[in-house]
Amino acid sequence: MHEGFDRNRIRKHLLIFSLAAPLMTIITYFGLGQSGKEALSSVNATGITMLFSAGTFLYVATVHVLPEIQSMGTQAGGEGGGDGGHHHGFSKLELVAFVTGALFPLLLSVGHKH
């Protein structure tokens, strides 16, 4: 809405987006026959699908969310600069927290075997 789009247009896009996953799930379920299910189980399709889903989530996070966060900037506590104490980008603490959060799943998977 802050981009100036019409409410009805936004609602239409949200409806399409909200229906996409359930509809494709149903289509995929009925579209795959028993032989298709057996073929997919041999290549571990569930794991591949989850990797695709996680990649999509990370894409959205990096392309849409991070630039918004970074453009907000942070207020420097009393440090006078040429721009009135306002700088763009992450502080060192924010960057460390971001990288730690990104690597945390890797640390959780160490020693985990199937």
Side-chain angles (χ1 to χ4, degrees), residues 7-71:
R7 278 187 182 270
N8 290 330
R9 183 177 178 193
I10 293 171
R11 286 183 180 146
K12 183 178 74 171
H13 284 245
L14 283 173
L15 178 67
I16 292 168
F17 179 75
S18 299
L19 293 176
L23 284 176
M24 289 309 295
T25 302
I26 293 169
I27 290 170
T28 302
Y29 178 77
F30 289 114
L32 294 174
Q34 185 62 26
S35 61
K37 291 177 188 174
E38 291 171 1
L40 287 176
S41 68
S42 67
V43 295
N44 197 7
T46 304
I48 293 170
T49 306
M50 289 179 71
L51 285 172
F52 178 77
S53 176
T56 303
F57 175 78
L58 290 174
Y59 173 79
V60 169
T62 56
V63 171
H64 294 289
V65 176
L66 285 178
E68 287 182 23
I69 293 172
Q70 191 173 14
S71 70

Side-chain angles (χ1 to χ4, degrees), residues 66 69-77 79 85-100:
L66 285 178
I69 293 172
Q70 191 173 14
S71 70
M72 281 192 262
T74 57
Q75 294 291 337
E79 298 174 13
H86 184 78
H87 69 338
H88 293 283
F90 295 115
S91 69
K92 289 180 183 178
L93 179 62
E94 290 170 332
L95 185 61
V96 168
F98 177 74
V99 172
T100 302

